[in-house]
Amino acid sequence: MKKVYIYKKFERFWHWTQAALIIFLALTGFEVHNSFTIFGFEQAVFYHRIASYMLLILIAFAIFWHFTTGEWKQYVPTTKKLKEQIRYYTKGIFKGEPHPTKKTTLSKLNPLQILTYLAFKVILVPLIVISGLMYMFYKTIDKNDVVIISGYELKTVAIVHTVGAFLLITFLIVHVYMTTTGHTPTSNIKAMITGFENLEEEDKENSETENKKNSITEK
Ligand code: HEM
C-alpha cells in the first residue's frame, strides 16, 4: 500500500460545499413543500433562494475546474469490468472478496461509479437546477412594473422539482453507504477530507496504459 494524494484542494472544497448546500436546500425546500417547519415558511423560501444562487456559482466553478484540469476524462463511461463491479457490490462484497478494479490517481472511479456520477452530473443536477430556475422565474416583473407570467404550468414545474429532490436524496443515501465500502469503512471519507488515501501500488503495465489514456494535470 502507498499513501497517494488523490483528491485535490478544489475538489474537496467543491465536494463538501456541494453536499452541505444540497442538504440545506433539501431542508428548506421540503419546508416550502410543507413537510415540516424549521425556519418558518417565509425564511425557508428566502434561504432556499440564497442557497440555490450559491450552488449555481459553485457548479459554474466546478465545470470550469473539470475542463481546465482534464478531470472530466474520469467520467468517460466504459463497460470494461462493469459486470464484475456489479457482481462485486451484489455478492463479492458480502464474502470479503477483493475489489475487481484498482483505484489510481488517473482512474479514481470504478465503471459503476463513472455511470452513477455521470448521471448525477448530466441528468439529476440539470433536472433540479433547470426546474428550480423555471420555478423562480415563473413570475417576473418587467421595466414597466407589469407582472409577466411564463407560458408553462407552475404545477408541472413544482412536481418535476420535487421528484428531482427525492432522487437527489436517494442518491445521497446510497452514496453515503457506498463510501463505507472502501479498504476500511472510513477510508474513502478520510481521503475526501485530507486528500490522501492508502492505495495498492500500481503495477507498471497498468500505470503505463493509464498514462497514455489520460493527461490530467495536477491543479
Ligand atoms: C440551483 C438549484 C435550485 C434552485 C434554483 C431552486 C429553486 C426553487 C424555487 C424557486 C422553489 C420555490 C420556492 C421559492 O420560491 O423559493 C423551490 C422549491 C423547492 N425546492 Fe428547490 N431549488 C434548487 C435546488 C434544490 C435542491 C438541491 C433541492 C433538494 C435536494 C430542492 C428542493 C426543493 C423542494 C422540495 C421544493 C418545494 C417544491 C414544492 O413543493 O413546490 N431544491 N426551489
Side-chain angles (χ1 to χ4, degrees):
M1 299 293 266
K2 201 176 159 201
K3 198 170 179 185
V4 177
Y5 186 54
I6 190 149
Y7 298 118
K8 287 148 212 149
K9 240 187 221 151
F10 175 79
E11 197 170 10
R12 286 176 281 142
F13 165 77
W14 160 61
H15 176 272
W16 292 115
T17 314
Q18 176 169 266
L21 284 174
I22 287 178
I23 293 168
F24 187 69
L25 281 159
L27 280 179
T28 49
F30 278 102
E31 173 151 10
V32 172
H33 189 68
N34 210 10
S35 304
F36 43 71
T37 305
I38 303 174
F39 307 104
F41 182 81
E42 306 267 291
Q43 284 300 101
V45 167
F46 175 69
Y47 290 151
H48 195 80
R49 283 186 179 223
I50 302 293
S52 71
Y53 289 134
M54 288 166 78
L55 184 63
L56 286 173
I57 295 170
L58 186 68
I59 290 172
F61 276 102
I63 292 172
F64 180 77
W65 179 83
H66 275 80
F67 286 103
T68 52
T69 58
E71 284 284 335
W72 64 271
K73 291 175 192 158
Q74 302 263 7
Y75 301 88
V76 176
T78 172
T79 49
K80 202 177 148 208
K81 294 217 176 162
L82 182 61
K83 264 194 205 146
E84 287 90 330
Q85 197 63 49
I86 295 173
R87 205 206 141 269
Y88 172 74
Y89 282 133
T90 51
K91 290 191 185 127
I93 194 170
F94 302 109
K95 297 183 196 156
E97 285 176 16
H99 279 262
T101 46
K102 268 189 196 167
K103 194 168 177 178
T104 69
T105 41
L106 295 174
S107 173
K108 290 188 286 207
L109 308 170
N110 71 48
L112 202 58
Q113 284 174 320
I114 294 178
L115 286 181
T116 317
Y117 295 150
L118 191 63
F120 174 84
K121 283 165 197 252
V122 302
I123 301 173
L124 199 49
V125 170
L127 181 81
I128 199 120
V129 168
I130 293 168
S131 59
L133 289 172
M134 287 173 79
Y135 210 147
M136 203 178 267
F137 295 107
Y138 175 70
K139 219 195 244 180
T140 45
I141 299 173
D142 75 3
K143 55 180 185 305
N144 301 319
D145 273 352
V146 177
V147 176
I148 313 281
I149 308 269
S150 305
Y152 45 84
E153 238 192 279
L154 187 61
K155 199 177 161 201
T156 315
V157 171
I159 291 171
V160 172
H161 197 64
T162 309
V163 169
F166 275 111
L167 290 175
L168 256 185
I169 291 167
T170 311
F171 169 84
L172 199 75
I173 294 166
V174 177
H175 179 68
V176 172
Y177 163 69
M178 296 305 271
T179 62
T180 63
T181 62
H183 287 296
T184 70
T186 55
S187 61
N188 283 336
I189 294 175
K190 277 187 193 146
M192 196 43 101
I193 297 171
T194 62
F196 289 93
E197 184 168 357
N198 286 323
L199 299 179
E200 282 170 49
E201 301 235 21
E202 288 175 43
D203 53 71
K204 205 166 171 270
E205 198 192 316
N206 205 358
S207 68
E208 271 170 11
T209 24
E210 290 295 348
N211 276 330
K212 271 184 213 150
K213 250 186 11 200
N214 298 286
S215 54
I216 294 170
T217 52
E218 279 281 324
K219 278 199 185 143

